[in-house]
Amino acid sequence: MDIVDKRIDEGKAFDWGRTSADYARFRDIYPEIFYKKIVDRGLCVAPQKVLDLGTGTGVLPRNMYRFGAKWTGTDISPEQIEQARRLSKEAGMDIDFQAVSAEKIDFPSESFDVLTACQCFWYFDHEKVMPEFARLLKSGGKLLILYMAWLPFEDKIAGKSEKIVLKYSPKWSGAGETKHPIWVPDVANKYFDLEDHEEYDVKIPFTRESWHGRMKACRGVGASLSGDELAAWEKEHWAMLESETPEQFEIQHYAALKILRKK
């Protein structure tokens, strides 16, 4: 399903379903500290009920399942949800995954203790979803927004990879990331109070294959390039990796979280 949003990539269409297989294989990369910082704040643990918005292939609920919360995951892409269901079933996890956009979720009021939004918050229509998120949360419930990104100005390989993406996808607005707090719209202040935020550095290990797959599974590549463009990107990116990197290496990232408490 093509998504067109003028706020993103200058309105160039993208479809996560086109890259779901690579997403499932190569984007489960958050380090253990990413989850520890959530648990240390008392979030996404038993006996809480948690709704993961924009769940993708279910990376967050699958990795946090061990902490005992009851998870539901939603995503606009049926293909992403198909992968999430497959992976959770293979792992013996009881997670309810549903293919529905954040703007159309329809659970009863006060159904959840925590809502999570990982790598997806900026895609939402905030005027529509913020009052709905507040409605879904129990009294004092939390909205946890999560993010992680490579740092192209601090990491040479990340920078070189990003330049190749921009060659084939010049409208891609995911480039040029720097470390900063997660943005939230003004409308959020009507329904939530800021409780906490943190930004911290992490180094993520990759092989040539896994970094190539991670880059392919981004919006500016696998989700939006034509077949011929994707083949050309793959050839050029792989050649860069063979000439510029060892077989195993680390990429400098930063991670961030922001916790909003229901008023």
Coordinates of all heavy atoms in Angstrom, one line a residue, residues 129-200:
V129 N -4.7 11.8 16.3 CA -4.3 10.7 17.2 C -4.1 11.1 18.6 O -4.3 10.3 19.5 CB -3.1 10.0 16.6 CG1 -3.3 9.4 15.2 CG2 -1.8 10.8 16.7
M130 N -3.6 12.3 18.9 CA -3.3 12.7 20.3 C -4.5 12.5 21.2 O -4.4 12.0 22.3 CB -2.6 14.0 20.4 CG -1.3 14.1 19.6 SD -0.1 12.8 20.0 CE 0.2 13.0 21.7
P131 N -5.7 13.1 20.9 CA -6.8 12.9 21.8 C -7.2 11.4 21.9 O -7.6 10.9 22.9 CB -7.9 13.7 21.2 CG -7.5 14.0 19.8 CD -6.0 14.0 19.8
E132 N -7.0 10.7 20.8 CA -7.4 9.2 20.8 C -6.4 8.5 21.7 O -6.8 7.6 22.4 CB -7.3 8.7 19.3 CG -7.7 7.2 19.2 CD -9.1 6.9 19.5 OE1 -9.9 7.8 19.8 OE2 -9.5 5.7 19.5
F133 N -5.1 8.8 21.6 CA -4.1 8.1 22.5 C -4.5 8.4 23.9 O -4.4 7.5 24.7 CB -2.7 8.7 22.2 CG -2.2 8.3 20.8 CD1 -1.0 8.8 20.4 CD2 -2.8 7.4 20.0 CE1 -0.4 8.5 19.1 CE2 -2.3 7.0 18.8 CZ -1.1 7.6 18.3
A134 N -4.9 9.6 24.3 CA -5.2 9.9 25.6 C -6.5 9.1 26.1 O -6.6 8.6 27.2 CB -5.5 11.4 25.8
R135 N -7.4 8.9 25.1 CA -8.6 8.2 25.4 C -8.3 6.7 25.7 O -8.9 6.1 26.6 CB -9.6 8.3 24.3 CG -10.9 7.5 24.5 CD -11.8 7.5 23.2 NE -11.2 6.6 22.2 CZ -11.4 5.3 22.2 NH1 -12.0 4.7 23.2 NH2 -10.8 4.6 21.2
L136 N -7.3 6.2 25.0 CA -7.0 4.7 25.1 C -6.3 4.4 26.4 O -6.3 3.3 26.9 CB -6.2 4.3 23.9 CG -6.8 4.2 22.6 CD1 -5.8 3.9 21.5 CD2 -8.0 3.2 22.6
L137 N -5.6 5.4 27.0 CA -4.8 5.2 28.2 C -5.6 5.3 29.5 O -6.5 6.1 29.6 CB -3.7 6.2 28.3 CG -2.5 6.0 27.3 CD1 -1.6 7.2 27.3 CD2 -1.7 4.8 27.8
K138 N -5.3 4.5 30.4 CA -5.9 4.5 31.7 C -5.4 5.8 32.4 O -4.5 6.5 32.0 CB -5.4 3.3 32.6 CG -5.9 2.0 32.0 CD -5.4 0.8 32.8 CE -5.8 -0.5 32.2 NZ -5.2 -1.7 32.9
S139 N -6.0 6.2 33.5 CA -5.6 7.4 34.3 C -4.1 7.3 34.6 O -3.6 6.3 35.2 CB -6.4 7.5 35.6 OG -6.0 8.6 36.4
G140 N -3.4 8.3 34.3 CA -1.9 8.3 34.6 C -1.1 7.5 33.6 O 0.1 7.3 33.8
G141 N -1.7 7.0 32.6 CA -1.0 6.2 31.6 C 0.0 7.0 30.8 O 0.0 8.2 30.8
K142 N 0.9 6.2 30.2 CA 2.1 6.9 29.6 C 2.1 6.6 28.1 O 1.8 5.5 27.6 CB 3.4 6.3 30.2 CG 3.5 6.3 31.7 CD 3.6 7.7 32.3 CE 3.7 7.6 33.8 NZ 4.9 6.9 34.3
L143 N 2.6 7.6 27.3 CA 2.9 7.4 25.9 C 4.4 7.5 25.8 O 5.0 8.5 26.2 CB 2.3 8.6 25.1 CG 2.7 8.7 23.6 CD1 2.4 7.4 22.8 CD2 2.1 9.9 23.0
L144 N 5.0 6.4 25.4 CA 6.5 6.3 25.3 C 6.9 6.3 23.8 O 6.5 5.4 23.0 CB 6.9 4.9 25.9 CG 8.4 4.5 25.7 CD1 9.3 5.5 26.3 CD2 8.6 3.1 26.2
I145 N 7.6 7.3 23.5 CA 8.1 7.5 22.1 C 9.6 7.2 22.0 O 10.4 7.6 22.8 CB 7.9 9.0 21.6 CG1 6.4 9.4 21.9 CG2 8.2 9.1 20.1 CD1 6.2 10.9 21.7
L146 N 9.9 6.3 21.0 CA 11.3 5.8 21.0 C 11.9 6.0 19.6 O 11.1 6.0 18.6 CB 11.3 4.3 21.3 CG 10.8 3.9 22.7 CD1 10.3 2.5 22.7 CD2 11.9 4.1 23.7
Y147 N 13.2 6.1 19.5 CA 13.9 6.4 18.3 C 15.3 6.0 18.3 O 15.9 6.1 19.4 CB 13.8 7.9 17.9 CG 14.3 8.3 16.6 CD1 13.8 7.8 15.4 CD2 15.4 9.2 16.5 CE1 14.3 8.2 14.2 CE2 15.9 9.6 15.3 CZ 15.3 9.1 14.1 OH 15.9 9.4 12.9
M148 N 15.9 5.5 17.2 CA 17.3 5.3 17.1 C 17.7 5.6 15.7 O 17.0 5.2 14.7 CB 17.7 3.9 17.5 CG 19.2 3.6 17.6 SD 19.6 2.0 18.2 CE 19.4 1.0 16.7
A149 N 18.9 6.2 15.5 CA 19.3 6.6 14.1 C 20.8 6.6 14.1 O 21.5 6.9 15.1 CB 18.8 7.9 13.7
W150 N 21.4 6.2 12.9 CA 22.8 6.4 12.7 C 23.1 7.8 12.6 O 22.3 8.7 12.3 CB 23.2 5.6 11.4 CG 22.6 6.1 10.1 CD1 23.0 7.2 9.4 CD2 21.6 5.5 9.4 NE1 22.2 7.3 8.3 CE2 21.4 6.2 8.2 CE3 20.8 4.3 9.6 CZ2 20.4 5.9 7.3 CZ3 19.9 4.0 8.6 CH2 19.6 4.8 7.5
L151 N 24.4 8.2 12.8 CA 24.9 9.5 12.8 C 25.9 9.7 11.6 O 27.0 9.4 11.7 CB 25.5 9.9 14.1 CG 24.6 9.9 15.3 CD1 25.3 10.0 16.6 CD2 23.6 11.1 15.2
P152 N 25.4 10.2 10.5 CA 26.2 10.3 9.2 C 27.4 11.3 9.3 O 28.3 11.1 8.6 CB 25.2 10.7 8.2 CG 24.2 11.5 8.9 CD 24.0 10.8 10.2
F153 N 27.3 12.3 10.2 CA 28.4 13.2 10.3 C 29.5 12.8 11.2 O 30.6 13.3 11.3 CB 27.9 14.6 10.7 CG 26.8 15.1 9.8 CD1 25.5 15.4 10.2 CD2 27.1 15.4 8.5 CE1 24.5 15.8 9.4 CE2 26.1 15.9 7.6 CZ 24.8 16.1 8.1
E154 N 29.2 11.8 12.0 CA 30.1 11.2 13.0 C 30.7 9.9 12.6 O 31.7 9.5 13.1 CB 29.4 11.1 14.4 CG 29.0 12.5 14.9 CD 28.2 12.4 16.2 OE1 28.5 11.4 17.0 OE2 27.3 13.2 16.5
D155 N 30.0 9.2 11.7 CA 30.4 7.8 11.3 C 30.6 7.8 9.8 O 29.7 8.1 9.0 CB 29.3 6.8 11.7 CG 29.8 5.4 11.5 OD1 29.8 4.9 10.3 OD2 30.1 4.7 12.5
K156 N 31.9 7.5 9.4 CA 32.2 7.6 8.0 C 31.4 6.7 7.1 O 30.9 7.1 6.1 CB 33.7 7.2 7.9 CG 34.2 7.3 6.4 CD 35.7 6.9 6.3 CE 35.9 5.5 6.6 NZ 37.3 5.1 6.3
I157 N 31.2 5.4 7.6 CA 30.5 4.5 6.7 C 29.0 4.9 6.6 O 28.4 4.8 5.5 CB 30.6 3.0 7.3 CG1 32.1 2.6 7.3 CG2 29.8 2.0 6.5 CD1 32.8 2.7 5.9
A158 N 28.4 5.3 7.7 CA 27.0 5.7 7.7 C 26.9 6.9 6.7 O 25.9 7.0 5.9 CB 26.6 6.2 9.1
G159 N 27.9 7.8 6.7 CA 27.8 8.9 5.8 C 27.9 8.5 4.4 O 27.2 9.1 3.5
K160 N 28.8 7.6 4.1 CA 29.0 7.1 2.7 C 27.7 6.4 2.2 O 27.3 6.6 1.1 CB 30.2 6.2 2.6 CG 31.5 6.9 2.7 CD 32.7 6.0 2.6 CE 34.0 6.7 2.6 NZ 34.3 7.5 1.4
S161 N 27.1 5.6 3.1 CA 25.9 4.9 2.7 C 24.8 5.9 2.5 O 24.0 5.7 1.5 CB 25.5 3.9 3.9 OG 26.4 2.8 4.0
E162 N 24.7 6.9 3.3 CA 23.6 7.9 3.1 C 23.8 8.6 1.8 O 22.8 8.9 1.1 CB 23.7 8.8 4.3 CG 22.4 9.6 4.5 CD 22.4 10.3 5.8 OE1 22.9 11.5 5.9 OE2 21.9 9.8 6.8
K163 N 25.0 8.9 1.4 CA 25.2 9.6 0.1 C 24.7 8.8 -1.0 O 24.2 9.3 -2.0 CB 26.7 10.0 0.0 CG 27.1 11.1 0.8 CD 28.6 11.4 0.6 CE 29.1 12.6 1.5 NZ 30.5 12.9 1.3
I164 N 24.9 7.5 -1.0 CA 24.4 6.6 -2.0 C 22.9 6.5 -2.1 O 22.3 6.5 -3.1 CB 25.1 5.2 -1.9 CG1 26.6 5.3 -2.0 CG2 24.5 4.2 -3.0 CD1 27.3 4.0 -1.7
V165 N 22.3 6.5 -0.9 CA 20.8 6.5 -0.9 C 20.3 7.8 -1.5 O 19.4 7.8 -2.4 CB 20.3 6.5 0.6 CG1 18.8 6.6 0.6 CG2 20.7 5.2 1.2
L166 N 20.9 9.0 -1.2 CA 20.5 10.2 -1.7 C 20.7 10.3 -3.3 O 20.0 11.1 -4.0 CB 21.2 11.4 -1.0 CG 20.7 11.6 0.4 CD1 21.7 12.6 1.1 CD2 19.3 12.2 0.4
K167 N 21.7 9.6 -3.8 CA 21.9 9.6 -5.2 C 20.7 9.0 -5.9 O 20.3 9.5 -7.0 CB 23.2 8.8 -5.5 CG 23.4 8.6 -7.0 CD 24.7 7.8 -7.3 CE 24.9 7.5 -8.8 NZ 26.2 6.7 -9.0
Y168 N 20.1 8.0 -5.4 CA 19.0 7.3 -6.0 C 17.6 7.8 -5.5 O 16.6 7.6 -6.2 CB 19.1 5.8 -5.8 CG 20.3 5.2 -6.5 CD1 21.5 5.1 -5.9 CD2 20.2 4.8 -7.9 CE1 22.6 4.6 -6.6 CE2 21.3 4.3 -8.6 CZ 22.5 4.2 -7.9 OH 23.6 3.7 -8.6
S169 N 17.6 8.4 -4.3 CA 16.4 8.9 -3.7 C 16.6 10.3 -3.1 O 16.6 10.5 -1.9 CB 16.0 7.9 -2.6 OG 14.7 8.2 -2.1
P170 N 16.8 11.3 -4.0 CA 17.2 12.6 -3.6 C 16.2 13.3 -2.7 O 16.5 14.3 -2.0 CB 17.5 13.4 -4.9 CG 16.7 12.6 -5.9 CD 16.8 11.2 -5.5
K171 N 14.9 12.9 -2.8 CA 13.9 13.5 -2.0 C 13.8 12.9 -0.6 O 13.0 13.3 0.3 CB 12.5 13.4 -2.7 CG 12.5 14.2 -4.0 CD 11.1 14.1 -4.6 CE 11.1 14.9 -5.9 NZ 9.7 14.8 -6.5
W172 N 14.5 11.9 -0.3 CA 14.5 11.2 1.0 C 14.8 12.2 2.1 O 15.9 12.8 2.1 CB 15.5 10.0 0.9 CG 15.6 9.2 2.2 CD1 14.6 8.6 2.9 CD2 16.8 8.9 2.9 NE1 15.1 8.0 4.0 CE2 16.5 8.1 4.0 CE3 18.2 9.2 2.6 CZ2 17.5 7.7 4.9 CZ3 19.1 8.7 3.5 CH2 18.8 8.0 4.6
S173 N 13.9 12.3 3.1 CA 14.1 13.3 4.1 C 14.7 12.6 5.4 O 14.7 13.3 6.5 CB 12.8 14.0 4.4 OG 11.7 13.0 4.7
G174 N 15.1 11.4 5.3 CA 15.7 10.7 6.5 C 17.2 11.0 6.6 O 17.8 10.4 7.6
A175 N 17.8 11.8 5.8 CA 19.2 12.0 5.8 C 19.6 13.1 6.8 O 18.8 13.9 7.2 CB 19.7 12.4 4.4
G176 N 20.9 13.1 7.1 CA 21.4 14.3 7.9 C 21.0 14.3 9.4 O 21.0 15.4 10.0
E177 N 20.8 13.1 9.9 CA 20.4 13.1 11.4 C 21.5 13.5 12.3 O 22.7 13.2 12.1 CB 20.0 11.6 11.7 CG 19.4 11.5 13.1 CD 18.1 12.2 13.2 OE1 18.2 13.4 13.6 OE2 17.0 11.7 13.0
T178 N 21.1 14.2 13.3 CA 22.0 14.6 14.4 C 21.3 14.3 15.8 O 20.1 14.1 15.8 CB 22.3 16.1 14.4 OG1 21.1 16.9 14.5 CG2 23.1 16.5 13.1
K179 N 22.1 14.2 16.8 CA 21.5 13.8 18.1 C 20.6 15.0 18.7 O 21.1 16.1 18.8 CB 22.7 13.5 19.1 CG 22.3 13.0 20.4 CD 23.5 12.7 21.2 CE 23.2 12.2 22.6 NZ 24.5 12.0 23.4
H180 N 19.4 14.7 19.0 CA 18.5 15.7 19.5 C 17.3 15.0 20.2 O 17.0 13.8 20.0 CB 18.0 16.6 18.4 CG 17.2 15.9 17.3 ND1 15.9 15.5 17.5 CD2 17.6 15.4 16.1 CE1 15.5 14.9 16.4 NE2 16.5 14.8 15.5
P181 N 16.6 15.7 21.1 CA 15.4 15.2 21.7 C 14.3 14.9 20.7 O 14.2 15.6 19.7 CB 15.0 16.3 22.7 CG 16.2 17.1 23.0 CD 16.9 17.1 21.7
I182 N 13.5 13.9 21.0 CA 12.4 13.6 20.1 C 11.4 14.7 20.1 O 11.0 15.3 21.1 CB 11.7 12.3 20.6 CG1 12.7 11.1 20.4 CG2 10.4 12.0 19.8 CD1 12.2 9.8 21.0
W183 N 11.0 15.1 18.9 CA 10.0 16.2 18.7 C 8.6 15.7 19.0 O 8.2 14.6 18.6 CB 10.1 16.7 17.3 CG 8.9 17.6 16.9 CD1 8.9 19.0 17.1 CD2 7.7 17.2 16.2 NE1 7.7 19.5 16.6 CE2 7.0 18.4 16.1 CE3 7.2 16.0 15.7 CZ2 5.7 18.4 15.4 CZ3 6.0 16.0 15.1 CH2 5.2 17.2 15.0
V184 N 7.8 16.5 19.6 CA 6.4 16.3 19.8 C 5.6 17.5 19.4 O 6.1 18.7 19.6 CB 6.0 15.8 21.2 CG1 6.6 14.5 21.6 CG2 6.3 16.9 22.2
P185 N 4.4 17.4 18.8 CA 3.7 18.6 18.4 C 3.0 19.3 19.5 O 2.8 18.7 20.6 CB 2.6 18.0 17.4 CG 2.4 16.6 18.0 CD 3.7 16.1 18.5
D186 N 2.7 20.5 19.3 CA 2.1 21.4 20.3 C 0.7 20.7 20.8 O 0.4 20.9 22.0 CB 1.8 22.8 19.8 CG 3.1 23.6 19.7 OD1 4.1 23.2 20.3 OD2 3.1 24.6 18.9
V187 N 0.0 20.1 19.9 CA -1.3 19.5 20.3 C -1.1 18.5 21.4 O -2.1 18.3 22.2 CB -2.0 18.9 19.1 CG1 -1.2 17.7 18.6 CG2 -3.4 18.5 19.4
A188 N 0.0 17.9 21.5 CA 0.2 16.9 22.6 C 0.1 17.5 24.0 O -0.4 16.8 24.9 CB 1.6 16.3 22.5
N189 N 0.4 18.8 24.1 CA 0.3 19.5 25.4 C -1.1 19.6 25.9 O -1.3 19.8 27.1 CB 1.0 20.9 25.3 CG 2.4 20.8 24.9 OD1 3.1 19.9 25.3 ND2 2.9 21.8 24.1
K190 N -2.1 19.4 25.1 CA -3.5 19.5 25.5 C -3.9 18.2 26.3 O -4.8 18.3 27.1 CB -4.4 19.6 24.3 CG -4.3 20.9 23.5 CD -5.3 20.9 22.4 CE -5.1 22.1 21.5 NZ -6.0 22.1 20.3
Y191 N -3.2 17.1 26.0 CA -3.6 15.8 26.6 C -2.5 15.2 27.4 O -2.9 14.3 28.2 CB -3.9 14.9 25.4 CG -4.9 15.5 24.5 CD1 -4.5 16.1 23.3 CD2 -6.3 15.5 24.7 CE1 -5.5 16.7 22.4 CE2 -7.2 16.0 23.9 CZ -6.8 16.6 22.7 OH -7.7 17.2 21.9
F192 N -1.3 15.7 27.3 CA -0.2 15.0 28.0 C 0.7 16.0 28.7 O 0.9 17.1 28.2 CB 0.6 14.1 27.0 CG -0.1 13.0 26.5 CD1 -0.8 13.1 25.3 CD2 -0.1 11.7 27.1 CE1 -1.5 12.0 24.7 CE2 -0.8 10.7 26.5 CZ -1.5 10.8 25.4
D193 N 1.4 15.6 29.7 CA 2.5 16.3 30.3 C 3.8 15.6 30.1 O 3.9 14.3 30.1 CB 2.3 16.5 31.8 CG 1.1 17.3 32.2 OD1 1.0 18.4 31.5 OD2 0.4 17.0 33.1
L194 N 4.9 16.3 29.8 CA 6.2 15.7 29.6 C 6.7 15.2 31.0 O 6.8 15.9 31.9 CB 7.2 16.7 29.1 CG 8.6 16.2 28.9 CD1 8.8 15.1 28.0 CD2 9.5 17.4 28.5
E195 N 7.0 13.9 31.0 CA 7.5 13.3 32.2 C 9.0 13.1 32.2 O 9.7 13.3 33.2 CB 6.8 12.0 32.5 CG 7.3 11.3 33.8 CD 6.5 10.1 34.2 OE1 5.4 10.3 34.6 OE2 7.0 9.0 34.0
D196 N 9.6 12.7 31.1 CA 11.0 12.4 31.0 C 11.5 12.3 29.6 O 10.7 12.1 28.7 CB 11.2 11.0 31.7 CG 12.7 10.7 32.0 OD1 13.5 11.6 31.8 OD2 13.0 9.6 32.3
H197 N 12.7 12.5 29.4 CA 13.3 12.3 28.1 C 14.8 12.0 28.3 O 15.4 12.4 29.2 CB 13.1 13.4 27.1 CG 14.0 14.6 27.3 ND1 15.2 14.8 26.8 CD2 13.7 15.7 28.1 CE1 15.7 16.0 27.2 NE2 14.9 16.5 28.0
E198 N 15.4 11.3 27.3 CA 16.8 11.0 27.3 C 17.3 10.7 25.9 O 16.6 10.1 25.1 CB 17.1 9.8 28.2 CG 18.6 9.5 28.4 CD 18.9 8.3 29.3 OE1 18.0 7.7 29.8 OE2 20.1 8.0 29.5
E199 N 18.6 11.2 25.6 CA 19.2 10.9 24.4 C 20.6 10.3 24.7 O 21.3 10.9 25.6 CB 19.4 12.2 23.5 CG 18.0 12.8 23.2 CD 17.5 13.7 24.4 OE1 18.3 14.4 25.1 OE2 16.3 13.6 24.7
Y200 N 21.0 9.3 24.1 CA 22.3 8.7 24.5 C 22.9 8.0 23.3 O 22.3 7.6 22.3 CB 22.1 7.7 25.6 CG 21.1 6.6 25.3 CD1 21.4 5.3 24.9 CD2 19.7 6.8 25.5 CE1 20.5 4.3 24.6 CE2 18.8 5.9 25.3 CZ 19.2 4.6 24.8 OH 18.2 3.7 24.6

